[in-house]
Amino acid sequence: MVLKTYNPYVVAAAATIGGMLFGFDVSSVSAFVDNPTYREFLNYPDDVKQGGITSAMAGGSFFGSLISGRISDILGRRYSIQCGAIIWMIGSLVQCTVQNTTQLIIGRLISGVAIGICSSQVPVYIAELSPKKIRGRLVGLFQWAITWGIMIMFFISYGCSFMTGAKSFRIAWGLQIVPGVLLLSALVFFPESPRWLATKDRWDEATNVIAHIQGGGDMDHPDVLLEMQEIREVVRIDRMSKDVSIFDLFAPGSRLRTFVGASVQMWQQLTGINVMMYYVVYTFAMAGYDGNAGLISSSIQYVVNVIMTVPAILFIDKWGRRPLLLTGSTFMALWLFLVGGIMGHYGHYVDSLNGNSGIKWTVPNRSAALSIIAFNYLFVGTFAPSWGPGAWIYVSEIFPLKQRALANGFCASINWTFNFLLAFCVPPGFKYIQWRVYIIFAIFCVIMTFHVFFMFPETKGKTLEEVDLIWEENIAPWKSGRIEVADLEVHRDLRSRVEKDKTPRREDPSAFHELGDVSSSNNSSGTSTPALYSDDPGEENSGAVDRTSIDSNSRLI
């Protein structure tokens, strides 16, 4: 048997290599998009063809996101991510042997399928394994891994750009196989999601995982027992309903959550961040920085992205999701208005720039150009701790267990749909409306600020099961941060049920039949299932926990 590691930080750090795949892909394009060797090899792609190359990844990711939920529900969170790693390596191999534009697009489509699977299921895997007090921090590591991937691949590509011929980008794209190998092999040493195990009646394994993460291996720890009770109740309720399909996400009681989850992924793209990432060399070229100077200036932006994601990882579980999203969109709107305004006021139209007919605007004023670059850095520095990790964290938290994998896949597909549209449309946008592109994204940031305020409830500090209750009780989003779930009517009923349930000792698994559990004959390991409480004082050392040990101070907030 393979020795498993249960430390949530180690598990999250390894799983988020799946985010690094996305980051590698982003800068593998941006570093070469204005490279003379690359352009000559692909017969000088125009803005439409380059948009197709860039957006191919997002097209594959859309498909990968849609199928990821079903794969995850059947195989498990861990195996679905490993499938993504294998597909990624195949896509990287196709890209590094590129002979023409068609092969490059096919390779990026294949890699995109892998990114779609990993980007939707890695946050789910981490969220279902994480203690509630640090769940935001651990899921936030996914976005941090993306930023590291972007920066590492950019510098690899920058170094390879000094090579002559096609090997400059072939080597860079071939090195993308490395994180795929790391992800595939690392996950062997980590546990499966306890919530997925519970849906497969593997209760002993689920309890064991929760015990190692929440109670230091103590299966009788109060936090472990209460969380398992919540999971059992959720599984019991889920089994009373039919199998979930994509249409159930739009049924009454679910459609609002689906709308919010899809919206947060859409808005993440409409912040304009991928304009800054995919086509950052275009922006800096318009500001008068091209060639190596443009690449070096661009690299600073990637370093800012990595560093400024750290505050979110450290403090998002203290600050909350709503404040970060609201503050981020507000300031991003400001920076985008300033970039667009300065570019429009001080710049002028040109037929082409440095031989690139896709760039039709330049800003010759030195001070204005430096201001544009500064505001670009500020924009990235604002996105990094807010909408960067915030969108992935939020979507991984808001759906019930039965819908979580499918819903996260669907919402991620919305992200990739807009990623595809923007990657394809931005090059023509720079060509035909120039600086106005930034104004459009600034307006989107203003709209999303109001949307978050009125429609996105707070999820900080609550278990995934408690987040369900916030939605079911229709708490106003702007009040949700002050709500204590234990005071809600539904939650009071659940706790009352727990208090009244005089469950016998652990050796009697039949006590859990009412809660949707199964007898030991259905348990994969053949061992007994832990009870929650015992009223018999003679059993205090039998492994059961006295109910008085879980008093009114053990509130699930």
Side-chain angles (χ1 to χ4, degrees):
M1 177 181 289
V2 177
L3 183 65
K4 299 293 184 183
T5 299
Y6 294 93
N7 184 296
Y9 286 99
V10 177
V11 174
T16 53
I17 296 174
M20 192 174 288
L21 306 184
F22 179 23
F24 266 53
D25 182 89
V26 170
S27 51
S28 70
V29 172
S30 63
F32 292 109
V33 70
D34 204 36
N35 182 283
T37 303
Y38 166 89
R39 289 176 56 77
E40 180 182 0
F41 184 83
L42 296 180
N43 197 25
Y44 299 97
D46 58 19
D47 54 298
V48 174
K49 184 180 288 188
Q50 182 57 55
I53 293 171
T54 305
S55 62
M57 183 276 293
S61 297
F62 172 79
F63 177 74
S65 298
L66 288 180
I67 65 173
S68 66
R70 190 61 62 191
I71 294 173
S72 182
D73 284 336
I74 294 173
L75 300 180
R77 315 309 191 213
R78 193 165 55 107
Y79 286 140
S80 66
I81 298 169
Q82 288 180 309
C83 286
I86 294 171
I87 296 171
W88 169 263
M89 290 187 284
I90 295 172
S92 298
L93 183 62
V94 173
Q95 290 180 68
C96 74
T97 58
V98 63
Q99 298 296 324
N100 50 50
T101 302
T102 301
Q103 183 178 343
L104 179 57
I105 291 175
I106 291 172
R108 287 180 57 74
L109 277 169
I110 295 172
S111 294
V113 174
I115 294 173
I117 293 172
C118 292
S119 65
S120 57
Q121 298 310 310
V122 168
V124 171
Y125 177 62
I126 298 173
E128 292 185 345
L129 275 167
S130 302
K132 63 183 179 181
K133 293 181 180 179
I134 58 172
R135 186 177 62 241
R137 177 183 302 172
L138 297 184
V139 178
L141 288 174
F142 177 76
Q143 174 64 24
W144 201 36
I146 294 176
T147 66
W148 273 102
I150 293 173
M151 185 179 71
I152 291 171
M153 190 60 190
F154 183 87
F155 283 117
I156 289 174
S157 300
Y158 176 70
C160 290
S161 69
F162 291 99
M163 299 179 181
T164 58
K167 64 183 178 183
S168 61
F169 44 84
R170 281 179 176 161
I171 291 175
W173 294 340
L175 288 173
Q176 293 180 122
I177 295 174
V178 174
V181 173
L182 292 175
L183 180 62
L184 178 65
S185 56
L187 286 176
V188 172
F189 301 98
F190 301 115
E192 181 53 83
S193 159
R195 288 166 171 84
W196 181 84
L197 292 170
T199 65
K200 303 302 179 183
D201 289 336
R202 294 161 64 175
W203 290 102
D204 285 344
E205 293 176 70
T207 305
N208 182 57
V209 174
I210 292 290
H212 277 87
I213 292 174
Q214 297 276 42
D218 181 8
M219 297 175 71
D220 294 328
H221 191 285
D223 289 344
V224 175
L225 297 174
L226 282 170
E227 184 154 344
M228 285 304 302
Q229 177 72 359
E230 286 186 322
I231 294 173
R232 291 176 188 280
E233 183 69 4
V234 168
V235 171
R236 181 188 70 82
I237 293 171
D238 284 348
R239 286 176 176 170
M240 294 172 61
S241 60
K242 65 182 186 304
D243 290 339
V244 67
S245 71
I246 193 72
F247 300 105
D248 294 313
L249 300 181
F250 300 94
S254 296
R255 65 170 64 105
L256 180 59
R257 264 192 260 202
T258 302
F259 174 66
V260 168
S263 295
V264 74
Q265 293 285 25
M266 174 190 74
W267 288 132
Q268 188 195 54
Q269 289 298 316
L270 293 180
T271 60
I273 185 60
N274 279 334
V275 177
M276 303 296 189
M277 294 300 176
Y278 283 129
Y279 299 108
V280 60
V281 292
Y282 281 14
T283 304
F284 282 72
M286 286 187 278
Y289 290 82
D290 57 359
N292 285 335
L295 289 174
I296 293 172
S297 299
S298 303
S299 69
I300 297 173
Q301 179 167 284
Y302 297 133
V303 174
V304 170
N305 196 20
V306 171
I307 294 174
M308 290 304 297
T309 304
V310 174
I313 295 172
L314 296 177
F315 302 113
I316 193 168
D317 288 306
K318 175 184 274 187
W319 295 339
R321 288 37 161 174
R322 278 172 56 85
L324 276 183
L325 295 177
L326 290 168
T327 304
S329 57
T330 300
F331 279 97
M332 283 190 292
L334 174 62
W335 309 137
L336 287 167
F337 275 126
L338 288 170
V339 169
I342 293 172
M343 194 172 283
H345 183 74
Y346 290 99
H348 62 81
Y349 179 87
V350 292
D351 289 329
S352 66
L353 192 63
N354 303 322
N356 190 340
S357 60
I359 306 177
K360 301 285 189 178
W361 199 262
T362 185
V363 181
N365 184 290
R366 179 73 173 174
S367 297
L370 291 174
S371 298
I372 290 171
I373 292 173
F375 290 130
N376 268 268
Y377 292 155
L378 286 170
F379 173 87
V380 173
T382 302
F383 174 87
S386 58
W387 281 84
W392 299 110
I393 293 169
Y394 197 74
V395 175
S396 72
E397 297 175 323
I398 64 175
F399 291 101
L401 175 61
K402 190 168 187 176
Q403 296 180 351
R404 191 169 296 134
L406 180 64
N408 271 263
F410 171 76
C411 293
S413 74
I414 300 300
N415 185 300
W416 295 116
T417 298
F418 280 87
N419 187 304
F420 174 87
L421 292 173
L422 293 175
F424 192 80
C425 296
V426 165
F430 278 134
K431 183 175 182 178
Y432 294 110
I433 62 174
Q434 298 92 39
W435 57 271
R436 298 171 187 85
V437 169
Y438 296 98
I439 301 300
I440 292 173
F441 286 115
I443 293 172
F444 284 144
C445 287
V446 172
I447 296 172
M448 72 182 70
T449 302
F450 287 98
H451 190 191
V452 170
F453 182 83
F454 288 108
M455 303 229 20
F456 288 43
E458 182 59 73
T459 60
K460 178 194 73 171
K462 300 174 178 64
T463 67
L464 297 176
E465 290 69 34
E466 290 169 343
V467 172
D468 283 348
L469 301 179
I470 291 290
W471 289 94
E472 291 169 5
E473 289 297 292
N474 294 318
I475 302 300
W478 54 91
K479 296 180 180 178
S480 58
R482 302 190 299 272
I483 291 294
E484 295 187 343
V485 180
D487 293 333
L488 297 176
E489 183 65 30
V490 176
H491 194 65
R492 285 205 301 269
D493 290 345
L494 176 58
R495 287 187 65 85
S496 176
R497 180 185 180 131
V498 174
E499 291 296 325
K500 291 177 182 178
D501 177 35
K502 299 184 179 181
T503 310
R505 357 179 350 178
R506 173 181 310 186
E507 286 77 3
D508 182 12
S510 62
F512 287 102
H513 284 178
E514 182 188 10
L515 295 178
D517 193 10
V518 294
S519 65
S520 58
S521 62
N522 290 329
N523 193 301
S524 61
S525 64
T527 56
S528 57
T529 306
L532 277 180
Y533 311 114
S534 173
D535 283 336
D536 186 350
E539 293 183 341
E540 63 183 19
N541 296 318
S542 67
V545 176
D546 195 314
R547 283 182 298 170
T548 58
S549 68
I550 306 176
D551 57 21
S552 59
N553 291 324
S554 300
R555 299 172 65 166
L556 305 179
I557 302 302

